[in-house]
Amino acid sequence: MWPMSCEELTYNQLGENIKARLGGQRVPLSVTVGLTDRCNLWCVHCFVHDPARDQELRARELTTEQWIDLFDRLAEAGCFWMTMTGGEILLRPDFADLYRHAKQRGFLLSLLTNGTLLTPELVALLAEWYPLVVEITLYGLTRETYEAVTGVAGAYDRCLRGVRMFLEARVPLRLKTIAMVPTRHEVRAMYQFAAELGVEFRHDGVLFQTFHGKDIRDLRLPPEELVALDFANPKAAPDLRRLDDRYRDLVEKAPHDFQEYLYTCGGGLRSFYVDPYGGMSLCQMTRPAVYDLVSGTVEEGWEVLGELRQRRVSKDFACLHCHLAGICQRCPAFSFLEHGDPETVVEYACAIARLRAQELGLVDSMAKELVVAGS
Ligand SMILES: C[S@@+](CC[C@H](N)C(=O)[O-])C[C@H]1O[C@@H](n2cnc3c(N)ncnc32)[C@H](O)[C@@H]1O
């Protein structure tokens, strides 16, 4: 007979338990695959921005067979979380085959999409073979804003249609937006809209510079406005406190790591990224790729990422000693995109971290020992 009750566990808790048991061991648990960098939308802020119709890029992308073979190899190497992103994943005509295969290999799948290319067949597939979650970015709550951001007439209606189709089919769905100058006036109403739909919602607002050279700094909200928006969400303070606690815990366990090693994030420790051409890197924001998974093996690529994580910092700079690093979004990739140098303060991230610390009361409680980047 089955026991009367068993402990319920969320996937987040499962992940935390696994990580806790692994301690400092490097294990490739979680992979993000960029199925394509091409997109049917043309967002003003996007760091990727490759045209949907670019046949040369299309021809360089992994074929269906290559992705399927790679998914097999990733599963055999022990990966079981997979995020599919782009560009726009639904631009791939073979998306259904790739998705089905990843499900059959047992991956816990998160799908990041703009939702505009959804078809009844794809919804039926996802309703039968549930992903962990589908995340749709809402680039505006009105047609005017959505199409000003994405540059594509008709995309707003197609996005909302996608949202409705997922909801009707009861596919696990989350919505999010990017809080920036063109969307700022609609973000709070988007929270309301999502609540009425019964869907979780969040905003991101710390815009990275792009890979293609477009400077997006003028689209960023002033730090004060962004932090006020962040803290209007009751989850912001506990989430940031958790990040702060985790960082302090790590520093206590290995006080010198943060001053010694360039990469102290999860990239190459538990997670990694595979680009549309089979290139492996620590994360989607660190380019170029450092290992070719078409000609090589996942195990060897993972070793190459391990060597990269051994890279020491080459100079002293303020972030290495900053007590706010746990609640700051700066990382080597952010610095590189901002200043062409992975070891630099990013003033925008720094201003946001200070305001967050004020909101959390961290500055007062640590005033005597506080060392903050940029001060
Ligand atoms: C690149 S898109 C790819 C997935 C999908 N096509 C979508 O629209 O969500 C993933 C997320 O990155 C965000 N993003 C794009 N450019 C960004 C930037 N410069 N800084 C921060 N986030 C950015 C997008 O707004 C979107 O929420």
Side-chain angles (χ1 to χ4, degrees):
M1 209 171 103
W2 294 107
M4 293 303 286
S5 67
C6 66
E7 196 189 344
E8 279 191 25
L9 203 62
T10 64
Y11 281 113
N12 274 351
Q13 286 164 335
L14 171 71
E16 290 307 317
N17 291 354
I18 293 172
K19 284 182 205 162
R21 284 190 191 196
L22 284 172
Q25 243 179 297
R26 289 183 57 248
V27 180
L29 289 179
S30 170
V31 61
T32 297
V33 292
L35 294 182
T36 177
D37 271 350
R38 296 170 301 115
C39 191
N40 60 317
L41 302 183
W42 203 243
C43 295
V44 285
H45 65 293
C46 192
F47 52 73
V48 196
H49 233 245
D50 284 341
R53 292 203 177 87
D54 191 321
Q55 289 310 315
E56 206 182 306
L57 287 177
R58 171 75 190 93
R60 281 182 49 219
E61 289 171 9
L62 296 193
T63 62
T64 314
E65 293 68 32
Q66 284 174 315
W67 275 123
I68 283 178
D69 170 59
L70 183 54
F71 290 176
D72 288 343
R73 292 190 282 139
L74 290 167
E76 278 150 27
C79 290
F80 66 94
W81 269 282
M82 179 183 281
T83 300
M84 291 181 166
T85 186
E88 176 48 46
I89 53 175
L90 301 187
L91 257 189
R92 293 263 326 193
D94 57 357
F95 173 78
D97 295 330
L98 300 182
Y99 178 79
R100 204 178 285 113
H101 192 78
K103 279 296 288 184
Q104 281 163 347
R105 288 306 313 225
F107 284 105
L108 296 175
L109 279 149
S110 302
L111 307 179
L112 312 190
T113 174
N114 59 44
T116 60
L117 299 173
L118 197 61
T119 62
E121 292 73 29
L122 283 176
V123 178
L125 173 67
L126 298 192
E128 189 184 350
W129 301 66
Y130 277 136
L132 209 52
V133 71
V134 175
E135 245 182 45
I136 292 186
T137 312
L138 209 54
Y139 292 107
L141 192 58
T142 60
R143 179 172 297 107
E144 194 188 0
T145 301
Y146 191 100
E147 294 181 3
V149 171
T150 61
V152 176
Y156 173 74
D157 290 330
R158 289 203 294 276
C159 170
L160 290 190
R161 180 172 155 270
V163 169
R164 276 194 303 274
M165 285 163 82
F166 277 132
L167 287 176
E168 278 159 22
R170 298 179 176 276
V171 173
L173 180 69
R174 280 204 295 253
L175 296 176
K176 66 180 179 207
T177 196
I178 195 91
M180 57 180 174
V181 170
T183 58
R184 60 171 21 140
H185 57 295
E186 294 181 0
V187 175
R188 287 170 198 260
M190 286 188 211
Y191 274 92
Q192 185 65 32
F193 171 73
E196 282 161 15
L197 294 178
V199 174
E200 209 182 300
F201 186 81
R202 72 163 201 277
H203 69 270
D204 297 323
V206 182
L207 286 184
F208 282 82
Q209 284 285 35
T210 67
F211 294 118
H212 45 83
K214 179 180 177 186
D215 187 337
I216 50 72
R217 280 176 298 182
D218 59 349
L219 296 174
R220 288 174 176 164
L221 294 184
E224 295 73 15
E225 184 178 341
L226 184 58
V227 173
L229 199 55
D230 291 349
F231 278 84
N233 181 348
K235 283 179 67 193
D239 283 354
L240 285 168
R241 278 215 174 84
R242 236 186 328 274
L243 289 175
D244 185 53
D245 288 347
R246 198 175 61 184
Y247 173 72
R248 277 163 210 285
D249 198 41
L250 290 171
V251 171
E252 209 176 293
K253 283 187 189 132
H256 303 300
D257 280 9
F258 290 86
Q259 275 129 43
E260 203 170 320
Y261 295 102
L262 181 60
Y263 299 106
T264 52
C265 57
L269 181 66
R270 312 264 188 256
S271 61
F272 61 102
Y273 174 69
V274 182
D275 73 20
Y277 320 105
M280 193 180 191
S281 55
L282 293 176
C283 74
Q284 191 179 15
M285 304 313 293
T286 47
R287 297 189 181 195
V290 290
Y291 186 79
D292 177 21
L293 283 170
V294 176
S295 57
T297 64
V298 176
E299 290 71 18
E300 198 174 88
W302 186 244
E303 288 315 306
V304 172
L305 295 188
E307 284 159 24
L308 202 56
R309 279 189 66 93
Q310 289 302 312
R311 196 169 146 190
R312 303 291 207 272
V313 295
S314 69
K315 62 182 178 199
D316 198 12
F317 67 111
C319 301
L320 301 183
H321 312 280
C322 181
H323 286 255
L324 304 184
I327 54 167
C328 179
Q329 273 162 273
R330 192 211 73 88
C331 65
F334 200 156
S335 293
F336 186 79
L337 285 168
E338 194 85 4
H339 297 302
D341 176 353
E343 296 170 72
T344 47
V345 173
V346 176
E347 296 73 9
Y348 185 64
C350 191
I352 289 169
R354 285 155 169 270
L355 290 166
R356 286 175 174 169
Q358 264 171 28
E359 286 286 337
L360 296 173
L362 294 179
V363 175
D364 288 345
S365 68
M366 304 185 329
K368 286 209 180 75
E369 44 143 5
L370 194 69
V371 182
V372 178
S375 59

PDB file of all heavy atoms in Angstrom, residues 4 33 40-41 74 78 80 90 95 133 172 175 182 186 193 209 230 238 271 273 285 302 321 347 355 367 371:
ATOM      1  N   MET A   4       0.353   7.038   3.469  1.00  0.00           N
ATOM      2  CA  MET A   4      -0.803   7.934   3.492  1.00  0.00           C
ATOM      3  C   MET A   4      -0.477   9.311   2.934  1.00  0.00           C
ATOM      4  O   MET A   4      -1.286   9.972   2.340  1.00  0.00           O
ATOM      5  CB  MET A   4      -1.333   8.074   4.927  1.00  0.00           C
ATOM      6  CG  MET A   4      -1.933   6.792   5.474  1.00  0.00           C
ATOM      7  SD  MET A   4      -3.276   6.186   4.434  1.00  0.00           S
ATOM      8  CE  MET A   4      -4.547   7.347   4.863  1.00  0.00           C
ATOM      9  N   VAL A  33      19.574  26.473 -24.259  1.00  0.00           N
ATOM     10  CA  VAL A  33      19.914  26.346 -25.681  1.00  0.00           C
ATOM     11  C   VAL A  33      19.271  27.490 -26.456  1.00  0.00           C
ATOM     12  O   VAL A  33      18.078  27.739 -26.351  1.00  0.00           O
ATOM     13  CB  VAL A  33      19.491  24.963 -26.277  1.00  0.00           C
ATOM     14  CG1 VAL A  33      20.326  23.843 -25.688  1.00  0.00           C
ATOM     15  CG2 VAL A  33      18.025  24.666 -26.081  1.00  0.00           C
ATOM     16  N   ASN A  40      11.369  37.190 -35.290  1.00  0.00           N
ATOM     17  CA  ASN A  40      10.364  37.821 -36.149  1.00  0.00           C
ATOM     18  C   ASN A  40      10.016  39.221 -35.659  1.00  0.00           C
ATOM     19  O   ASN A  40       9.333  39.963 -36.349  1.00  0.00           O
ATOM     20  CB  ASN A  40       9.096  36.954 -36.205  1.00  0.00           C
ATOM     21  CG  ASN A  40       8.478  36.753 -34.841  1.00  0.00           C
ATOM     22  OD1 ASN A  40       9.195  36.501 -33.868  1.00  0.00           O
ATOM     23  ND2 ASN A  40       7.177  36.860 -34.742  1.00  0.00           N
ATOM     24  N   LEU A  41      10.447  39.575 -34.434  1.00  0.00           N
ATOM     25  CA  LEU A  41      10.211  40.938 -33.932  1.00  0.00           C
ATOM     26  C   LEU A  41      11.528  41.714 -34.018  1.00  0.00           C
ATOM     27  O   LEU A  41      12.598  41.129 -34.203  1.00  0.00           O
ATOM     28  CB  LEU A  41       9.693  40.894 -32.490  1.00  0.00           C
ATOM     29  CG  LEU A  41       8.397  40.096 -32.262  1.00  0.00           C
ATOM     30  CD1 LEU A  41       7.953  40.200 -30.808  1.00  0.00           C
ATOM     31  CD2 LEU A  41       7.273  40.568 -33.192  1.00  0.00           C
ATOM     32  N   LEU A  74      23.550  15.625 -24.181  1.00  0.00           N
ATOM     33  CA  LEU A  74      23.382  16.443 -22.970  1.00  0.00           C
ATOM     34  C   LEU A  74      22.709  15.623 -21.871  1.00  0.00           C
ATOM     35  O   LEU A  74      23.095  15.675 -20.699  1.00  0.00           O
ATOM     36  CB  LEU A  74      22.537  17.689 -23.280  1.00  0.00           C
ATOM     37  CG  LEU A  74      23.221  18.740 -24.173  1.00  0.00           C
ATOM     38  CD1 LEU A  74      22.200  19.765 -24.667  1.00  0.00           C
ATOM     39  CD2 LEU A  74      24.352  19.436 -23.419  1.00  0.00           C
ATOM     40  N   GLY A  78      24.145  14.176 -17.998  1.00  0.00           N
ATOM     41  CA  GLY A  78      23.534  14.445 -16.693  1.00  0.00           C
ATOM     42  C   GLY A  78      22.681  15.690 -16.615  1.00  0.00           C
ATOM     43  O   GLY A  78      22.150  16.024 -15.551  1.00  0.00           O
ATOM     44  N   PHE A  80      19.484  17.920 -16.714  1.00  0.00           N
ATOM     45  CA  PHE A  80      18.054  17.647 -16.760  1.00  0.00           C
ATOM     46  C   PHE A  80      17.166  18.880 -16.718  1.00  0.00           C
ATOM     47  O   PHE A  80      15.974  18.789 -16.862  1.00  0.00           O
ATOM     48  CB  PHE A  80      17.613  16.560 -15.778  1.00  0.00           C
ATOM     49  CG  PHE A  80      17.749  16.879 -14.330  1.00  0.00           C
ATOM     50  CD1 PHE A  80      16.688  17.406 -13.630  1.00  0.00           C
ATOM     51  CD2 PHE A  80      18.932  16.606 -13.674  1.00  0.00           C
ATOM     52  CE1 PHE A  80      16.808  17.661 -12.279  1.00  0.00           C
ATOM     53  CE2 PHE A  80      19.056  16.856 -12.328  1.00  0.00           C
ATOM     54  CZ  PHE A  80      17.995  17.384 -11.624  1.00  0.00           C
ATOM     55  N   LEU A  90      10.075  29.771 -31.806  1.00  0.00           N
ATOM     56  CA  LEU A  90       9.004  29.255 -32.675  1.00  0.00           C
ATOM     57  C   LEU A  90       9.251  29.584 -34.149  1.00  0.00           C
ATOM     58  O   LEU A  90       8.470  29.191 -35.013  1.00  0.00           O
ATOM     59  CB  LEU A  90       7.640  29.768 -32.210  1.00  0.00           C
ATOM     60  CG  LEU A  90       7.261  29.404 -30.766  1.00  0.00           C
ATOM     61  CD1 LEU A  90       5.825  29.802 -30.454  1.00  0.00           C
ATOM     62  CD2 LEU A  90       7.450  27.906 -30.492  1.00  0.00           C
ATOM     63  N   PHE A  95      10.538  23.134 -34.505  1.00  0.00           N
ATOM     64  CA  PHE A  95      10.438  23.294 -33.046  1.00  0.00           C
ATOM     65  C   PHE A  95       9.719  22.104 -32.407  1.00  0.00           C
ATOM     66  O   PHE A  95      10.161  21.586 -31.372  1.00  0.00           O
ATOM     67  CB  PHE A  95       9.733  24.609 -32.674  1.00  0.00           C
ATOM     68  CG  PHE A  95       9.487  24.688 -31.202  1.00  0.00           C
ATOM     69  CD1 PHE A  95      10.517  25.026 -30.334  1.00  0.00           C
ATOM     70  CD2 PHE A  95       8.256  24.344 -30.661  1.00  0.00           C
ATOM     71  CE1 PHE A  95      10.333  25.020 -28.962  1.00  0.00           C
ATOM     72  CE2 PHE A  95       8.061  24.337 -29.285  1.00  0.00           C
ATOM     73  CZ  PHE A  95       9.096  24.684 -28.437  1.00  0.00           C
ATOM     74  N   VAL A 133       7.417  25.349 -17.711  1.00  0.00           N
ATOM     75  CA  VAL A 133       6.783  26.667 -17.862  1.00  0.00           C
ATOM     76  C   VAL A 133       7.061  27.241 -19.247  1.00  0.00           C
ATOM     77  O   VAL A 133       8.094  26.969 -19.851  1.00  0.00           O
ATOM     78  CB  VAL A 133       7.306  27.645 -16.773  1.00  0.00           C
ATOM     79  CG1 VAL A 133       8.740  28.053 -16.992  1.00  0.00           C
ATOM     80  CG2 VAL A 133       6.421  28.886 -16.659  1.00  0.00           C
ATOM     81  N   PRO A 172       1.257  25.584 -18.395  1.00  0.00           N
ATOM     82  CA  PRO A 172       1.831  26.457 -17.359  1.00  0.00           C
ATOM     83  C   PRO A 172       2.489  27.692 -17.988  1.00  0.00           C
ATOM     84  O   PRO A 172       3.400  27.553 -18.814  1.00  0.00           O
ATOM     85  CB  PRO A 172       2.886  25.587 -16.677  1.00  0.00           C
ATOM     86  CG  PRO A 172       2.616  24.199 -17.124  1.00  0.00           C
ATOM     87  CD  PRO A 172       1.837  24.237 -18.389  1.00  0.00           C
ATOM     88  N   LEU A 175       4.131  35.424 -17.406  1.00  0.00           N
ATOM     89  CA  LEU A 175       4.340  36.598 -18.249  1.00  0.00           C
ATOM     90  C   LEU A 175       5.410  37.471 -17.616  1.00  0.00           C
ATOM     91  O   LEU A 175       5.603  37.450 -16.404  1.00  0.00           O
ATOM     92  CB  LEU A 175       3.046  37.406 -18.389  1.00  0.00           C
ATOM     93  CG  LEU A 175       1.869  36.716 -19.091  1.00  0.00           C
ATOM     94  CD1 LEU A 175       0.633  37.621 -19.062  1.00  0.00           C
ATOM     95  CD2 LEU A 175       2.223  36.371 -20.533  1.00  0.00           C
ATOM     96  N   PRO A 182      10.245  53.084 -23.126  1.00  0.00           N
ATOM     97  CA  PRO A 182       8.986  52.966 -23.900  1.00  0.00           C
ATOM     98  C   PRO A 182       7.869  52.182 -23.207  1.00  0.00           C
ATOM     99  O   PRO A 182       6.725  52.262 -23.648  1.00  0.00           O
ATOM    100  CB  PRO A 182       9.409  52.229 -25.182  1.00  0.00           C
ATOM    101  CG  PRO A 182      10.862  52.016 -25.116  1.00  0.00           C
ATOM    102  CD  PRO A 182      11.362  52.364 -23.769  1.00  0.00           C
ATOM    103  N   GLU A 186       3.293  51.457 -18.509  1.00  0.00           N
ATOM    104  CA  GLU A 186       2.327  50.353 -18.556  1.00  0.00           C
ATOM    105  C   GLU A 186       2.684  49.185 -17.630  1.00  0.00           C
ATOM    106  O   GLU A 186       1.920  48.231 -17.523  1.00  0.00           O
ATOM    107  CB  GLU A 186       2.177  49.855 -20.006  1.00  0.00           C
ATOM    108  CG  GLU A 186       1.549  50.912 -20.898  1.00  0.00           C
ATOM    109  CD  GLU A 186       1.348  50.470 -22.343  1.00  0.00           C
ATOM    110  OE1 GLU A 186       1.694  49.323 -22.689  1.00  0.00           O
ATOM    111  OE2 GLU A 186       0.851  51.301 -23.123  1.00  0.00           O
ATOM    112  N   PHE A 193      -3.107  43.214 -15.084  1.00  0.00           N
ATOM    113  CA  PHE A 193      -3.590  42.396 -16.195  1.00  0.00           C
ATOM    114  C   PHE A 193      -3.274  40.905 -15.944  1.00  0.00           C
ATOM    115  O   PHE A 193      -4.140  40.041 -16.059  1.00  0.00           O
ATOM    116  CB  PHE A 193      -2.896  42.884 -17.477  1.00  0.00           C
ATOM    117  CG  PHE A 193      -3.102  42.012 -18.695  1.00  0.00           C
ATOM    118  CD1 PHE A 193      -4.324  41.988 -19.360  1.00  0.00           C
ATOM    119  CD2 PHE A 193      -2.055  41.226 -19.185  1.00  0.00           C
ATOM    120  CE1 PHE A 193      -4.499  41.188 -20.488  1.00  0.00           C
ATOM    121  CE2 PHE A 193      -2.231  40.428 -20.312  1.00  0.00           C
ATOM    122  CZ  PHE A 193      -3.459  40.412 -20.961  1.00  0.00           C
ATOM    123  N   GLN A 209      23.922  46.204 -22.447  1.00  0.00           N
ATOM    124  CA  GLN A 209      24.265  46.676 -23.779  1.00  0.00           C
ATOM    125  C   GLN A 209      24.159  45.503 -24.759  1.00  0.00           C
ATOM    126  O   GLN A 209      24.119  44.344 -24.332  1.00  0.00           O
ATOM    127  CB  GLN A 209      25.696  47.230 -23.799  1.00  0.00           C
ATOM    128  CG  GLN A 209      25.833  48.601 -23.168  1.00  0.00           C
ATOM    129  CD  GLN A 209      25.277  49.713 -24.064  1.00  0.00           C
ATOM    130  OE1 GLN A 209      24.288  49.533 -24.776  1.00  0.00           O
ATOM    131  NE2 GLN A 209      25.899  50.860 -24.015  1.00  0.00           N
ATOM    132  N   ASP A 230      10.566  48.147  -8.720  1.00  0.00           N
ATOM    133  CA  ASP A 230      10.920  46.819  -8.174  1.00  0.00           C
ATOM    134  C   ASP A 230      10.245  46.609  -6.820  1.00  0.00           C
ATOM    135  O   ASP A 230       9.631  45.573  -6.574  1.00  0.00           O
ATOM    136  CB  ASP A 230      12.436  46.696  -7.935  1.00  0.00           C
ATOM    137  CG  ASP A 230      13.241  46.651  -9.232  1.00  0.00           C
ATOM    138  OD1 ASP A 230      12.633  46.499 -10.301  1.00  0.00           O
ATOM    139  OD2 ASP A 230      14.478  46.796  -9.155  1.00  0.00           O
ATOM    140  N   PRO A 238      11.923  40.237  -0.122  1.00  0.00           N
ATOM    141  CA  PRO A 238      12.393  38.908   0.295  1.00  0.00           C
ATOM    142  C   PRO A 238      13.332  38.252  -0.719  1.00  0.00           C
ATOM    143  O   PRO A 238      14.310  37.591  -0.328  1.00  0.00           O
ATOM    144  CB  PRO A 238      11.103  38.087   0.454  1.00  0.00           C
ATOM    145  CG  PRO A 238       9.984  38.928  -0.031  1.00  0.00           C
ATOM    146  CD  PRO A 238      10.455  40.330  -0.132  1.00  0.00           C
ATOM    147  N   SER A 271      25.577  25.279 -14.705  1.00  0.00           N
ATOM    148  CA  SER A 271      24.807  25.627 -15.905  1.00  0.00           C
ATOM    149  C   SER A 271      25.738  26.074 -17.030  1.00  0.00           C
ATOM    150  O   SER A 271      26.900  26.397 -16.797  1.00  0.00           O
ATOM    151  CB  SER A 271      23.828  26.755 -15.563  1.00  0.00           C
ATOM    152  OG  SER A 271      24.547  27.889 -15.141  1.00  0.00           O
ATOM    153  N   TYR A 273      25.561  27.444 -21.593  1.00  0.00           N
ATOM    154  CA  TYR A 273      24.750  27.887 -22.727  1.00  0.00           C
ATOM    155  C   TYR A 273      25.282  27.258 -24.005  1.00  0.00           C
ATOM    156  O   TYR A 273      26.496  27.088 -24.173  1.00  0.00           O
ATOM    157  CB  TYR A 273      24.836  29.422 -22.814  1.00  0.00           C
ATOM    158  CG  TYR A 273      24.163  30.000 -24.032  1.00  0.00           C
ATOM    159  CD1 TYR A 273      22.777  29.971 -24.161  1.00  0.00           C
ATOM    160  CD2 TYR A 273      24.910  30.577 -25.062  1.00  0.00           C
ATOM    161  CE1 TYR A 273      22.147  30.500 -25.298  1.00  0.00           C
ATOM    162  CE2 TYR A 273      24.294  31.115 -26.186  1.00  0.00           C
ATOM    163  CZ  TYR A 273      22.916  31.067 -26.287  1.00  0.00           C
ATOM    164  OH  TYR A 273      22.297  31.582 -27.406  1.00  0.00           O
ATOM    165  N   MET A 285      25.225  35.450 -22.158  1.00  0.00           N
ATOM    166  CA  MET A 285      25.788  36.791 -22.283  1.00  0.00           C
ATOM    167  C   MET A 285      27.297  36.780 -22.488  1.00  0.00           C
ATOM    168  O   MET A 285      27.884  37.825 -22.723  1.00  0.00           O
ATOM    169  CB  MET A 285      25.445  37.637 -21.044  1.00  0.00           C
ATOM    170  CG  MET A 285      23.967  37.742 -20.726  1.00  0.00           C
ATOM    171  SD  MET A 285      22.921  38.122 -22.148  1.00  0.00           S
ATOM    172  CE  MET A 285      23.449  39.789 -22.531  1.00  0.00           C
ATOM    173  N   TRP A 302      32.722  20.730 -21.077  1.00  0.00           N
ATOM    174  CA  TRP A 302      32.525  21.059 -19.657  1.00  0.00           C
ATOM    175  C   TRP A 302      33.878  21.293 -18.974  1.00  0.00           C
ATOM    176  O   TRP A 302      34.018  22.154 -18.111  1.00  0.00           O
ATOM    177  CB  TRP A 302      31.729  19.929 -18.994  1.00  0.00           C
ATOM    178  CG  TRP A 302      31.334  20.206 -17.582  1.00  0.00           C
ATOM    179  CD1 TRP A 302      31.745  19.520 -16.471  1.00  0.00           C
ATOM    180  CD2 TRP A 302      30.449  21.237 -17.099  1.00  0.00           C
ATOM    181  NE1 TRP A 302      31.180  20.071 -15.340  1.00  0.00           N
ATOM    182  CE2 TRP A 302      30.380  21.122 -15.700  1.00  0.00           C
ATOM    183  CE3 TRP A 302      29.720  22.250 -17.726  1.00  0.00           C
ATOM    184  CZ2 TRP A 302      29.603  21.968 -14.906  1.00  0.00           C
ATOM    185  CZ3 TRP A 302      28.945  23.102 -16.941  1.00  0.00           C
ATOM    186  CH2 TRP A 302      28.888  22.958 -15.557  1.00  0.00           C
ATOM    187  N   HIS A 321      35.495  44.042  -3.753  1.00  0.00           N
ATOM    188  CA  HIS A 321      35.397  44.204  -2.296  1.00  0.00           C
ATOM    189  C   HIS A 321      34.014  44.691  -1.878  1.00  0.00           C
ATOM    190  O   HIS A 321      33.808  45.033  -0.727  1.00  0.00           O
ATOM    191  CB  HIS A 321      36.440  45.224  -1.820  1.00  0.00           C
ATOM    192  CG  HIS A 321      37.794  44.960  -2.381  1.00  0.00           C
ATOM    193  ND1 HIS A 321      38.626  43.999  -1.858  1.00  0.00           N
ATOM    194  CD2 HIS A 321      38.449  45.488  -3.452  1.00  0.00           C
ATOM    195  CE1 HIS A 321      39.744  43.967  -2.572  1.00  0.00           C
ATOM    196  NE2 HIS A 321      39.647  44.850  -3.547  1.00  0.00           N
ATOM    197  N   GLU A 347      28.404  51.474 -13.667  1.00  0.00           N
ATOM    198  CA  GLU A 347      27.846  52.520 -12.814  1.00  0.00           C
ATOM    199  C   GLU A 347      26.340  52.343 -12.633  1.00  0.00           C
ATOM    200  O   GLU A 347      25.791  52.571 -11.546  1.00  0.00           O
ATOM    201  CB  GLU A 347      28.159  53.908 -13.391  1.00  0.00           C
ATOM    202  CG  GLU A 347      29.641  54.252 -13.445  1.00  0.00           C
ATOM    203  CD  GLU A 347      30.430  53.499 -14.526  1.00  0.00           C
ATOM    204  OE1 GLU A 347      29.813  52.819 -15.379  1.00  0.00           O
ATOM    205  OE2 GLU A 347      31.680  53.566 -14.502  1.00  0.00           O
ATOM    206  N   LEU A 355      20.674  51.659  -4.119  1.00  0.00           N
ATOM    207  CA  LEU A 355      19.281  52.001  -3.782  1.00  0.00           C
ATOM    208  C   LEU A 355      18.555  50.789  -3.190  1.00  0.00           C
ATOM    209  O   LEU A 355      17.757  50.917  -2.258  1.00  0.00           O
ATOM    210  CB  LEU A 355      18.541  52.503  -5.029  1.00  0.00           C
ATOM    211  CG  LEU A 355      18.991  53.887  -5.522  1.00  0.00           C
ATOM    212  CD1 LEU A 355      18.474  54.149  -6.930  1.00  0.00           C
ATOM    213  CD2 LEU A 355      18.524  54.975  -4.563  1.00  0.00           C
ATOM    214  N   ALA A 367      26.798  50.209   8.142  1.00  0.00           N
ATOM    215  CA  ALA A 367      27.463  51.467   7.815  1.00  0.00           C
ATOM    216  C   ALA A 367      28.965  51.462   8.134  1.00  0.00           C
ATOM    217  O   ALA A 367      29.764  51.945   7.348  1.00  0.00           O
ATOM    218  CB  ALA A 367      26.785  52.607   8.542  1.00  0.00           C
ATOM    219  N   VAL A 371      31.861  48.658   2.382  1.00  0.00           N
ATOM    220  CA  VAL A 371      32.674  49.077   1.254  1.00  0.00           C
ATOM    221  C   VAL A 371      31.808  48.892   0.031  1.00  0.00           C
ATOM    222  O   VAL A 371      31.318  47.795  -0.222  1.00  0.00           O
ATOM    223  CB  VAL A 371      33.933  48.183   1.091  1.00  0.00           C
ATOM    224  CG1 VAL A 371      34.785  48.665  -0.056  1.00  0.00           C
ATOM    225  CG2 VAL A 371      34.727  48.150   2.376  1.00  0.00           C
TER     226      VAL A 371
END
